[in-house]
Amino acid sequence: MNPAAQAQQQDLLKVEPASPAASGAPVTPTTPVLCLCGAAARVGGRTLWSGVDLEVQAGEFVAVLGPNGVGKSTLVKVLLGTVPAAAGDIRVLGRRPGEAGHRVGYLPQRRSFDSDLRIRGIDIVRMGLDGDRWGVPLPWSRSRRAEQARVDEVIELVGASAYAHRPIGQCSGGEQQRLLIAQALVRRPEILLLDEPLDSLDLPNQSAVAALIGRICHQEGVAVVMVAHDVNPILHHLDRVVYIAEGGAVCGPPSEVINSETLTRLYRTPVEVLSTQDGRLVVVGQPEAPAVHTDRHTGREK
Amino acid sequence: MGSASFSWNLVGDFQQMWSYPFMVNAFRAGATVAVVAAAVGWFVVLRRQTFAAHTLSVVAFPGAALATLAGFALSLGYFGFCVAAALALALLRRGREPGGSGESAAIGIVQAFLLACGYLFMALYKGLLEGPQTLLFGSFLGITTGQVTTLAMAGVAVLGVLAVIGRPLLFASVDPQVAAARGVPVRGLSVAFLVLLGAATAEAAQITGALLVFALMVLPAATAQVLTARPGLSLLLTVVLGFAATWAGLVAAWFWPYPLGFFVTTIAFALFLLAHGARLLSTALANRIASATIPAGAA
Ligand SMILES: Nc1ncnc2c1ncn2[C@@H]1O[C@H](COP(=O)(O)OP(=O)(O)O)[C@@H](O)[C@H]1O
Ligand SMILES: [Mg+2]
């Protein structure tokens, strides 16, 4: 085997995230994997948010909350580099957005596959591994077997083995979501950007997927930035919250952000945060409550 | 043709057909066209761009009509028009997802305008009598060795490009957002694929005629995707099915006095129906087995 292929195979088989020395700027536990400084986003000539400061360390679980249309997905796209930031300095693994390649895993907001799409779940996961490579893969090569093993391993990790060989269009929303998480994980990213991954899941699935993401985050040291509609399923996994509203953002530990004072200051209108007996949080009185708006995307579906 | 009758002795039949050089050329050209159209068509079906494929195949007709009228090589007319129309489609649908509603409007515009051009060229060229039928429905007679070489070169070029861009194209077709985030040039690939589609269409249209390219592009791919959900296998099956339908059509057109296009399309369609039947049967059987084993397991 040639050295390049060998290196590639080692990369695939390694358990830890890719070594920082091998890939650009050094990322030590003290340097943040994600860093926004005075960042602003503008789409269609409208500024969505500005002056956002955020630092995320390896192994941190950060939720991005806020009402619909406030620019949460846009924040994720800015971090990916598919939407340019209008202002500020943004570093992803010490580089500019979009330059960290496969070291960033991404799960876009709610895509469901056509029910007649004849591609298996395992193929979708595999695309996360080598879908961006040009040329024809050599079948039966050793690196190919290592890749296959990695795909199987990650499918096992998300608990999708039972339906990974079915056409993805025939899987339920929750099954598709697990396969898509496997796709985002398959290259062992150091950062996971998840855009409403719990959307469209029923309650037991929500907590199961939330626990899975929490485990990946804390055990494997992957930084997770997760846009969420409802903070409750992920509340006890969270390290930090970014709450976007009214063109600005606050971030901090959940208890410091999701409380009546902070949100009232952010919205500039009285907002109350109620805590139920089982520890769930309910935000009352903000212009558009995220917890009750669940149907924004149903119009787009067939 | 009807110069001989079909005997079920396939070796003898092929020996008889291949004793005519023009038939050898027909089989060679048919094989090239079928393989290229099938491979490209597999992506067309996956990307839900059948309307674009149909438009590009219709565009082959004005291209050929203009070539006849202006007196330059037919294949130049085919390739020029199809590739130009592909670029026009790419330009009109910038920024839209493939298969979307915005796309169909843009495609309809291109199709209507170019069809009208085709009729104009036909009207201008008064001497065109048996021409239109050949342009629309194809002919396997009189394919020269030179034509076969041109077809083969164009086919190798299309397949070569497809082999290079195949994996990212599949990624971009199934999952554009993640592909884009991974650095796959989704837009560029979409333009490149339309151009490939134009070239493949132009190639196939010379044999099958403008109306039946579509059959060779879409039917084998749709059939294979009914049979399997494994991408590699499905692509391979598409090529085999397209090839089989074309050669079987050529044999049929040699022994029976009906158009080649009719045979190819009918065979491809029959395979499609068979595939659906086979899948229904296998699901029914699987259900039967499942329902038979559950009570047994419980007992
Ligand atoms: N490409 C775009 N062009 C114009 N406006 C856009 C574009 N993408 C998003 N927007 C607008 O930006 C706002 C924020 O979108 P988004 O980030 O998806 O919100 P969220 O994810 O918080 O619900 C919305 O009002 C949306 O309509
Ligand atoms: Mg969003």
Side-chain angles (χ1 to χ4, degrees):
Chain A
M1 197 170 9
N2 66 44
Q6 206 157 9
Q8 193 180 35
Q9 191 189 346
Q10 277 168 1
D11 186 42
L12 286 162
L13 296 173
K14 199 154 41 188
V15 179
E16 291 91 5
S19 87
S23 40
V27 180
T28 56
T30 48
T31 37
V33 290
L34 263 182
C35 179
L36 283 88
C37 189
R42 191 196 296 269
V43 288
R46 193 161 55 95
T47 300
L48 293 176
W49 37 260
S50 57
V52 173
D53 299 310
L54 172 68
E55 281 193 356
V56 181
Q57 309 289 338
E60 260 194 313
F61 195 146
V62 180
V64 179
L65 306 172
N68 288 324
V70 82
K72 303 185 296 291
S73 298
T74 306
L75 172 63
V76 169
K77 288 176 192 158
V78 165
L79 293 175
L80 279 170
T82 53
V83 169
D89 185 37
I90 296 167
R91 296 272 132 189
V92 178
L93 294 163
R95 298 165 171 230
R96 279 202 296 277
E99 291 181 354
H102 65 84
R103 296 168 71 198
V104 178
Y106 174 47
L107 187 136
Q109 182 166 9
R110 184 62 191 270
R111 17 171 207 163
S112 53
F113 295 94
D114 271 342
S115 64
D116 58 348
L117 179 64
R118 299 283 291 164
I119 295 283
R120 299 169 305 165
I122 189 172
D123 301 315
I124 300 281
V125 176
R126 170 142 216 140
M127 280 175 205
L129 190 67
D130 64 358
D132 55 347
R133 285 192 216 145
W134 304 90
V136 183
L138 289 177
W140 307 294
S141 70
R142 214 187 302 171
S143 67
R144 191 135 177 98
R145 255 179 284 146
E147 288 175 8
Q148 196 56 56
R150 173 62 188 154
V151 168
D152 293 340
E153 179 192 17
V154 78
I155 286 173
E156 186 76 44
L157 176 74
V158 300
S161 308
Y163 42 82
H165 288 267
R166 254 192 263 156
I168 186 116
Q170 288 171 17
C171 293
S172 74
E175 291 169 345
Q176 291 189 14
Q177 207 66 285
R178 278 172 197 261
L179 287 163
L180 291 173
I181 290 172
Q183 186 203 46
L185 281 174
V186 71
R187 287 283 280 270
R188 302 185 193 283
E190 289 155 70
I191 301 176
L192 262 187
L193 302 175
L194 309 171
D195 200 343
E196 306 210 12
L198 305 184
D199 205 25
S200 84
L201 302 189
D202 55 18
L203 280 177
N205 260 313
Q206 279 191 0
S207 48
V209 171
L212 168 70
I213 296 168
R215 206 168 65 229
I216 291 160
C217 174
H218 295 127
Q219 288 180 6
E220 317 222 344
V222 179
V224 175
V225 175
M226 174 166 159
V227 177
H229 204 71
D230 176 7
V231 70
N232 288 305
I234 48 173
L235 194 56
H236 54 278
H237 303 290
L238 281 183
D239 298 306
R240 226 124 51 84
V241 164
V242 180
Y243 206 110
I244 308 180
E246 306 285 319
V250 283
C251 58
S255 57
E256 280 175 31
V257 174
I258 314 173
N259 60 43
S260 303
E261 295 80 58
T262 312
L263 292 190
T264 298
R265 195 153 30 83
L266 186 63
Y267 279 109
R268 280 165 277 160
T269 182
V271 170
E272 204 173 344
V273 177
L274 307 174
S275 180
T276 62
Q277 263 180 343
D278 57 352
R280 295 175 71 83
L281 295 176
V282 184
V283 181
V284 195
Q286 93 247 54
E288 194 187 18
V292 295
H293 262 260
T294 51
D295 300 328
R296 188 162 75 100
H297 306 287
T298 46
R300 275 201 231 143
E301 288 163 30
K302 284 188 281 174
Chain B
M1 275 281 114
S3 55
S5 56
F6 186 62
S7 67
W8 285 114
N9 169 14
L10 282 178
V11 178
D13 288 337
F14 271 102
Q15 268 170 355
Q16 191 215 331
M17 283 184 286
W18 286 353
S19 62
Y20 299 88
F22 76 90
M23 269 322 269
V24 175
N25 280 345
F27 275 91
R28 281 186 191 149
T32 317
V33 162
V35 168
V36 173
V40 173
W42 189 78
F43 284 95
V44 168
V45 171
L46 195 75
R47 293 168 67 80
R48 296 184 163 56
Q49 285 189 310
T50 47
F51 190 34
H54 183 235
T55 298
L56 291 177
S57 62
V58 165
V59 162
F61 160 65
L66 181 65
T68 318
L69 176 63
F72 55 82
L74 261 184
S75 55
L76 211 63
Y78 280 115
F79 277 104
F81 260 63
C82 288
V83 172
L87 286 173
L89 287 188
L91 214 67
L92 279 172
R93 37 154 292 198
R94 245 182 330 182
R96 297 199 190 91
E97 279 177 41
S101 55
E103 174 165 301
S104 34
I107 295 174
I109 293 164
V110 173
Q111 190 182 73
F113 174 66
L114 286 169
L115 257 186
C117 291
Y119 289 128
L120 173 70
F121 301 146
M122 246 172 65
L124 289 176
Y125 187 77
K126 305 234 169 43
L128 209 72
L129 280 177
E130 29 82 77
Q133 210 211 338
T134 310
L135 294 187
L136 290 175
F137 299 105
S139 162
F140 62 103
L141 299 174
I143 297 170
T144 63
T145 311
Q147 266 177 305
V148 172
T149 315
T150 314
L151 283 179
M153 284 189 319
V156 166
V158 169
L159 289 181
V161 175
L162 204 58
V164 171
I165 70 170
R167 257 195 299 180
L169 181 65
L170 177 63
F171 197 7
S173 308
V174 173
D175 206 350
Q177 282 171 295
V178 177
R182 265 294 165 74
V184 172
V186 175
R187 291 241 183 97
L189 280 177
S190 151
V191 174
F193 180 68
L194 272 174
V195 172
L196 271 188
L197 180 55
T201 308
E203 177 181 52
Q206 300 178 47
I207 309 294
T208 61
L211 290 184
L212 294 165
V213 181
F214 192 56
L216 222 44
M217 288 241 164
V218 174
L219 275 170
T223 309
Q225 292 190 16
V226 165
L227 290 174
T228 176
R230 289 164 177 267
L233 184 63
S234 166
L235 185 55
L236 189 72
L237 206 57
T238 305
V239 169
V240 170
L241 287 170
F243 178 81
T246 308
W247 273 35
L250 277 167
V251 172
W254 172 257
F255 287 107
W256 289 280
Y258 303 107
L260 171 67
F262 164 76
F263 284 118
V264 173
T265 312
T266 307
I267 293 164
F269 186 58
L271 289 173
F272 179 71
L273 290 183
L274 273 178
H276 260 291
R279 184 154 130 209
L280 283 180
L281 206 68
S282 75
T283 354
L285 269 177
N287 286 347
R288 196 81 170 279
I289 292 166
S291 60
T293 45
I294 286 166

